[in-house]
Amino acid sequence: MKPEECIDFFFKPESIALIGASPNPEKLSHTILKSLRKMNFEGKIYPVNPGYGEIEGLKCYSTPGEIEDRIDIAIFAVPARSVLEILKGPVENIKGAIIVSSGFRETGSGGKKMEDDLRALLKEKGIRAMGPNCLGIYDTVSNVDTFFIEREKIGRPVREGVSVLTQSGSFAAMIMDELAYEGAGVARVVSYGNKVDVDESDCLEFLERDEATKAVVLYIESVTDGRRFLEAASRCVKKKPVVALKVGKREPGARAASSHTGAISGMYEAYEAAFRKTGIIEVASYEELKDACKVLNRYSPVKGKRVLIITDGGGVGISIADACEEAGLRIPELSETAVRKLKENLPAFASVRNPVDLTGSVRDEHYVAAMQETPAEEYDLAIVSLLWGPPLLTEGVAEKIRNFAESCGKPIIISSPGGKFSRELVSVFTKTGMPVFFSPESAVRAAAVLCGGNGKQE
Amino acid sequence: MKPEECIDFFFKPESIALIGASPNPEKLSHTILKSLRKMNFEGKIYPVNPGYGEIEGLKCYSTPGEIEDRIDIAIFAVPARSVLEILKGPVENIKGAIIVSSGFRETGSGGKKMEDDLRALLKEKGIRAMGPNCLGIYDTVSNVDTFFIEREKIGRPVREGVSVLTQSGSFAAMIMDELAYEGAGVARVVSYGNKVDVDESDCLEFLERDEATKAVVLYIESVTDGRRFLEAASRCVKKKPVVALKVGKREPGARAASSHTGAISGMYEAYEAAFRKTGIIEVASYEELKDACKVLNRYSPVKGKRVLIITDGGGVGISIADACEEAGLRIPELSETAVRKLKENLPAFASVRNPVDLTGSVRDEHYVAAMQETPAEEYDLAIVSLLWGPPLLTEGVAEKIRNFAESCGKPIIISSPGGKFSRELVSVFTKTGMPVFFSPESAVRAAAVLCGGNGKQE
């Protein structure tokens, strides 16, 4: 790859120009400035707006050309027409642009013309660009946050290992807010919108090399260059798991996608084949994508599909077993040795088959005994389901399970459905990076991702 | 039906005996006593325990026979063997029993023998009974709560119209806690456990007649008497919607179910056929069952499968459309008239097809305009999706949408994914009984229930 084709600098910027900066708290640019400061972005920040001499204590410039510094990222938070006007002026010191402005291709033929002009102008000036019609970058590694929605409205996840690529800004906002709410994190999120220049393949190529990214999660409406995407994805999959949700699969989802970012969704079957060929784990829904983010922050995929289920509620155990079967996972029968050891170490009320049912008489230590006494070679991952009703179960169980999970070589997925009380108790898991899933089915979706995707799709 | 076969008195008791009552707050019976008082149960409460003269200010009796009153419900919260002993004594004044004790059939052959003895004894004494190995009744109409788990641990839903029948106590606790957490309610919940006497058909026959129950939701491991269930379900379906989740569909879910309440799950295909024949709406997962409860509290099923989608986030709209297609629902194209009216009444940035995308520039009134200008005859129900990021969107939109929903003849399903901020804002919906769904897919699951179930199953 030629150095000028590489977009790595977007993810380690030393200087950011905020074009359209404003002291007015209602302006998007103001939210971005506040966010960058809240993130403790360590590089230089240059507000640009001919109307002001200073904004929030920072010197304000009339044009980007006035700044006597190289600008790694120029965030354009001005109307569509102004983006073009500014780019026609002196912008030689701008290396990359994030154009959050809407009003381009997604609005119809007039907008499409403007976007074509924008593409030509960027090429002429040698500027790499994300957007337009996007939220840009939320990056827990470089501390960049160009998402122009206040963090009071859309939560910002803590730092973890999964990076998310998405065409849709609303999708990016939705998943960030939910991950933050559930105590889960991300490495980097890129919302690249209309893809006037930077696309999924550019980002994938970077994330393949990126050490902070342990897994990649993609929301795809359409792919710009199929062949390049296949190559980038194949290379990336060799280094880390890649999960994809293709939306706009059929009419009318496809119809909506086309008006949304101006994309033509293409035949779903072609995407499905490409995912299978490259080893991308395909998920079928937003819920599954979110569950994938949570589980891949903590665990790597496993080789088999054998699930050990441990529960304190028989009905919930059955629901998990049913959902596993539905997803193409297996609930192996335990060996005679395992059953004997479990019988010896668990009280008589426990049901010592798979699912292991510790019942409402459970005590904290029974969870650990059940995990310890089942030989590791008999399963590939475990789903541990906790209902917090049993009278002798205390919040101490969470630490016990977490300690076992840390020493055990297998992924332990926590399923803890319920309301206020259980959400408070499970925070001891999430605080240490152990993901918690709030329905039997979501725990199984996470398990299916680790087992390489829904078996029924194969 | 003979009067003695009718179990209606369980749902309008005038007197409750609590057998095994105790002043010890760690005893299950103590939790039940606290719950009955918290519910403001208006009938008489008689603690029974030979060890005490008084409990919590109530006179305590040595045996049920000592109570000089008819006892509508005797709650047995004593060990399995004591249940049998007490029933052998003077119990002529007991009409019905709820035996929450475990240690019967679910524990193996010894327990099965005890359960057979229990059945014979109940028959001999002419006592109708729920359980054993159950939580019993949570009833927002009669203010009965025999669920022996503290409400600090498992939330209690407010009064609404859906009644839930379940074999599994853990399932009952899980769904009650989650419904309470999400601001949704129930009419009556019955956890009948091992079904020594009262079973799903008895309950269905009562709920068919019950005016407080607007819809019935069933969690089924196995059905005791297939023919009677078919008859009861067919009659009930004529009066109100009935939704069912069959668990233990296949090995090994079926294997787990058999150890759990001692049930043999039977061939799933037979259940599927029975559901179809009787007009029961089948759901495939716990999540779907929960969504069904929420939506049926407010709306009745519709005749068609045409969904209007209104969103402020393009990507989210596409996900909803995809999920609708997947569930066999239709996203009709809007008529030319509708498109013209929408164009006239919505700003240029809005995409006026189905899904209607109001974009991040949305204002509160655009949601109402989009609903008002789409002719009601073009859709059967609407999914209105709100992301709260758009800067001009205020919490006032919730009241506007709610007002429109109240005047409009179609079900309006709110989809509002997100974290802390959005959950606070949507409480204006839930407070007035409008259910809110927290993922695109859950809103679609609710829509599919109203449209008669997942089309792909037909």
Side-chain angles (χ1 to χ4, degrees):
Chain A
M1 193 181 334
K2 295 178 217 155
E4 72 269 23
E5 285 174 357
C6 162
I7 62 160
D8 296 30
F9 65 89
F10 275 104
F11 302 98
K12 43 188 174 187
E14 291 170 6
S15 53
I16 291 179
L18 182 51
I19 296 171
S22 164
N24 178 352
E26 288 186 2
K27 294 281 182 188
L28 306 185
S29 61
H30 193 87
T31 305
I32 297 173
L33 181 55
K34 254 190 359 200
S35 279
L36 287 170
R37 292 189 144 178
K38 180 89 185 168
M39 295 284 282
N40 296 318
F41 172 66
E42 288 180 354
K44 291 189 192 108
I45 303 175
Y46 300 107
V48 178
N49 188 332
Y52 301 96
E54 187 207 285
I55 290 174
E56 298 277 323
L58 294 169
K59 184 183 168 188
C60 189
Y61 297 80
S62 297
T63 66
E66 256 180 31
I67 303 165
E68 294 181 343
D69 191 2
R70 186 199 63 203
I71 299 164
D72 285 330
I73 301 176
I75 304 166
F76 284 79
V78 291
R81 298 215 162 273
S82 308
V83 175
L84 293 170
E85 286 312 309
I86 291 164
L87 282 172
K88 284 175 190 160
V91 289
E92 284 67 28
N93 53 343
I94 297 181
K95 211 169 161 191
I98 295 178
I99 302 161
V100 302
S101 328
S102 57
F104 288 91
R105 186 165 46 128
E106 78 281 4
T107 58
S109 60
K112 178 160 189 319
K113 170 76 175 57
M114 283 219 293
E115 192 163 314
D116 291 341
D117 294 348
L118 174 65
R119 182 176 289 108
L121 210 46
L122 289 163
K123 196 151 195 177
E124 181 195 323
K125 302 277 184 166
I127 298 172
R128 300 299 314 259
M130 293 182 179
N133 186 27
C134 74
L135 289 172
I137 292 174
Y138 171 73
D139 193 327
T140 63
V141 188
S142 67
N143 297 332
V144 169
D145 181 1
T146 72
F147 280 42
F148 51 76
I149 306 167
E150 306 91 300
R151 47 190 63 214
E152 290 72 33
K153 286 188 170 183
I154 297 294
R156 302 301 203 261
V158 294
R159 179 168 176 176
E160 283 198 286
V162 166
S163 290
V164 181
L165 301 179
T166 161
Q167 240 164 307
S168 161
S170 70
F171 197 90
M174 173 167 74
I175 200 158
M176 277 185 38
D177 194 24
E178 293 217 330
L179 290 176
Y181 185 62
E182 296 182 8
V186 294
R188 319 187 197 250
V189 180
V190 185
S191 147
Y192 44 75
N194 290 8
K195 305 194 280 192
V196 68
D197 172 25
V198 170
D199 65 14
E200 54 284 333
S201 300
D202 293 296
C203 295
L204 260 180
E205 285 170 2
F206 163 70
L207 293 178
E208 178 210 332
R209 291 188 299 274
D210 178 29
E211 292 198 353
T213 295
K214 305 300 176 204
V216 180
V217 166
L218 299 161
Y219 162 99
I220 294 174
E221 290 177 5
S222 67
V223 156
T224 309
D225 178 340
R227 179 176 295 185
R228 197 175 148 217
F229 176 76
L230 282 179
E231 286 171 7
S234 299
R235 276 197 308 273
C236 194
V237 163
K238 289 200 180 74
K239 293 203 191 158
K240 50 195 84 175
V242 179
V243 170
L245 171 66
K246 169 69 177 85
V247 301
K249 282 178 193 166
R250 297 166 191 88
E251 283 292 329
R255 200 169 70 219
S258 121
S259 85
H260 173 224
T261 47
I264 295 156
S265 296
M267 265 173 47
Y268 169 57
E269 287 68 23
Y271 284 93
E272 212 180 5
F275 295 152
R276 213 179 302 121
K277 193 174 163 191
T278 50
I280 288 178
I281 300 167
E282 187 183 357
V283 293
S285 66
Y286 163 72
E287 289 178 337
E288 222 170 316
L289 193 79
K290 188 180 76 171
D291 295 328
C293 289
K294 287 169 67 179
V295 81
L296 289 171
N297 269 327
R298 171 78 178 204
Y299 299 117
S300 300
V302 295
K303 286 264 181 287
K305 287 176 183 286
R306 296 168 307 163
V307 181
L308 170 69
I309 302 170
I310 301 172
T311 178
D312 60 355
V316 180
I318 301 166
S319 294
I320 295 175
D322 272 354
C324 280
E325 294 288 305
E326 194 62 38
L329 306 181
R330 287 183 45 223
I331 317 296
E333 290 225 44
L334 299 180
S335 69
E336 283 178 32
T337 322
V339 169
R340 202 190 59 240
K341 287 179 68 185
L342 284 167
K343 268 196 181 142
E344 282 167 19
N345 290 281
L346 288 175
F349 56 72
S351 169
V352 293
R353 0 165 73 168
N354 190 11
V356 178
D357 181 4
L358 302 170
T359 82
S361 305
V362 68
R363 286 175 185 272
D364 298 357
E365 55 271 27
H366 300 150
Y367 269 103
V368 179
M371 289 188 287
Q372 269 171 344
E373 302 306 328
T374 309
E377 60 271 20
E378 296 193 18
Y379 63 97
D380 301 300
L381 59 83
I383 296 177
V384 174
S385 169
L386 299 119
L387 289 179
W388 296 93
L392 303 175
L393 193 66
T394 78
E395 55 185 286
V397 72
E399 205 184 329
K400 287 194 176 72
I401 293 175
R402 198 199 59 205
N403 292 344
F404 177 82
E406 271 164 14
S407 70
C408 146
K410 312 272 171 171
I412 309 282
I413 293 173
I414 305 296
S415 164
S416 179
K420 196 163 172 292
F421 182 74
S422 78
R423 297 226 172 192
E424 277 166 23
L425 288 195
V426 295
S427 65
V428 65
F429 291 114
T430 43
K431 270 177 198 152
T432 58
M434 269 189 93
V436 176
F437 299 87
F438 299 109
S439 74
E441 290 83 9
S442 64
V444 173
R445 285 192 292 262
V449 165
L450 291 187
C451 295
N454 193 314
K456 291 288 161 74
Q457 292 172 352
E458 280 165 20
Chain B
M1 193 177 338
K2 294 177 219 155
E4 70 270 24
E5 286 173 357
C6 163
I7 61 160
D8 298 29
F9 65 89
F10 275 104
F11 303 97
K12 41 187 175 188
E14 289 170 8
S15 54
I16 291 179
L18 182 53
I19 296 171
S22 166
N24 178 353
E26 287 186 4
K27 294 281 182 191
L28 305 186
S29 61
H30 194 87
T31 306
I32 296 173
L33 181 56
K34 257 195 350 202
S35 278
L36 287 171
R37 291 187 147 180
K38 179 88 185 169
M39 295 285 283
N40 296 318
F41 172 67
E42 288 180 354
K44 291 188 191 108
I45 303 176
Y46 300 106
V48 177
N49 189 332
Y52 302 95
E54 187 207 288
I55 290 175
E56 299 274 324
L58 294 170
K59 181 183 173 192
C60 189
Y61 297 80
S62 298
T63 65
E66 258 180 30
I67 303 166
E68 293 182 344
D69 191 1
R70 185 199 62 203
I71 299 165
D72 286 329
I73 301 178
I75 304 168
F76 283 78
V78 292
R81 296 213 165 276
S82 310
V83 175
L84 293 170
E85 286 313 308
I86 293 165
L87 283 172
K88 284 174 191 160
V91 289
E92 285 65 29
N93 53 342
I94 296 182
K95 209 168 162 192
I98 295 179
I99 303 162
V100 302
S101 327
S102 57
F104 289 90
R105 184 164 49 128
E106 76 283 4
T107 60
S109 60
K112 178 160 187 319
K113 169 78 176 54
M114 284 219 291
E115 193 163 314
D116 290 342
D117 294 347
L118 175 64
R119 183 177 290 107
L121 210 45
L122 288 164
K123 197 152 194 174
E124 181 195 326
K125 303 276 184 167
I127 297 173
R128 299 300 315 259
M130 294 184 178
N133 187 26
C134 74
L135 289 172
I137 293 176
Y138 171 73
D139 193 325
T140 63
V141 188
S142 67
N143 297 333
V144 169
D145 180 0
T146 72
F147 279 42
F148 50 76
I149 307 167
E150 307 91 299
R151 46 190 64 214
E152 291 71 32
K153 286 188 169 182
I154 297 294
R156 302 301 202 264
V158 294
R159 178 167 178 178
E160 283 198 287
V162 166
S163 289
V164 181
L165 300 179
T166 160
Q167 239 164 308
S168 161
S170 70
F171 198 90
M174 173 166 77
I175 199 158
M176 277 185 36
D177 194 24
E178 293 218 329
L179 290 176
Y181 185 61
E182 296 183 7
V186 295
R188 320 189 197 246
V189 180
V190 184
S191 148
Y192 44 73
N194 291 7
K195 305 193 281 190
V196 68
D197 171 25
V198 169
D199 65 13
E200 54 285 332
S201 300
D202 293 298
C203 295
L204 260 179
E205 285 170 1
F206 163 69
L207 293 178
E208 178 210 331
R209 292 188 298 272
D210 178 28
E211 291 200 353
T213 296
K214 304 300 176 204
V216 180
V217 166
L218 299 162
Y219 162 100
I220 294 174
E221 290 176 7
S222 67
V223 157
T224 310
D225 178 342
R227 179 176 293 186
R228 196 174 149 219
F229 176 76
L230 283 178
E231 286 171 9
S234 300
R235 274 197 309 272
C236 194
V237 163
K238 289 199 180 76
K239 292 203 192 156
K240 49 194 86 174
V242 179
V243 171
L245 171 66
K246 168 72 178 83
V247 301
K249 282 179 193 165
R250 295 164 191 90
E251 283 294 328
R255 200 168 69 218
S258 123
S259 85
H260 173 224
T261 46
I264 295 158
S265 296
M267 265 174 45
Y268 169 56
E269 288 67 22
Y271 284 92
E272 212 180 4
F275 295 153
R276 211 178 303 122
K277 193 173 164 193
T278 50
I280 288 179
I281 301 167
E282 186 185 359
V283 293
S285 66
Y286 164 71
E287 290 178 338
E288 222 169 314
L289 193 79
K290 187 180 78 171
D291 295 329
C293 288
K294 287 168 67 179
V295 80
L296 290 171
N297 268 326
R298 171 77 179 203
Y299 299 117
S300 300
V302 296
K303 286 264 181 286
K305 288 176 183 283
R306 297 168 306 162
V307 181
L308 170 68
I309 302 170
I310 301 171
T311 179
D312 60 353
V316 181
I318 300 166
S319 294
I320 295 174
D322 272 355
C324 281
E325 293 288 306
E326 194 63 39
L329 306 181
R330 286 182 47 220
I331 317 295
E333 290 225 44
L334 300 179
S335 69
E336 282 179 33
T337 321
V339 170
R340 200 189 62 239
K341 284 178 72 187
L342 284 167
K343 269 197 179 140
E344 281 168 17
N345 290 283
L346 288 174
F349 56 73
S351 169
V352 293
R353 358 162 76 163
N354 189 11
V356 178
D357 181 4
L358 302 170
T359 84
S361 305
V362 69
R363 287 174 184 273
D364 299 357
E365 56 269 29
H366 300 149
Y367 269 102
V368 180
M371 290 188 287
Q372 269 171 342
E373 302 306 329
T374 309
E377 61 271 21
E378 297 194 16
Y379 63 97
D380 301 301
L381 60 82
I383 296 178
V384 173
S385 169
L386 298 119
L387 289 178
W388 296 93
L392 303 175
L393 193 66
T394 78
E395 55 187 285
V397 72
E399 206 186 328
K400 287 194 174 72
I401 293 175
R402 198 199 60 207
N403 291 344
F404 178 82
E406 272 163 14
S407 69
C408 145
K410 312 273 173 170
I412 308 281
I413 292 173
I414 304 297
S415 165
S416 178
K420 194 163 173 292
F421 182 75
S422 79
R423 297 226 173 193
E424 277 166 23
L425 288 195
V426 295
S427 64
V428 65
F429 290 114
T430 43
K431 269 176 201 154
T432 57
M434 267 189 94
V436 176
F437 299 87
F438 298 108
S439 73
E441 289 84 8
S442 64
V444 172
R445 286 192 291 262
V449 165
L450 292 187
C451 295
N454 193 313
K456 291 286 158 75
Q457 292 171 351
E458 278 166 21

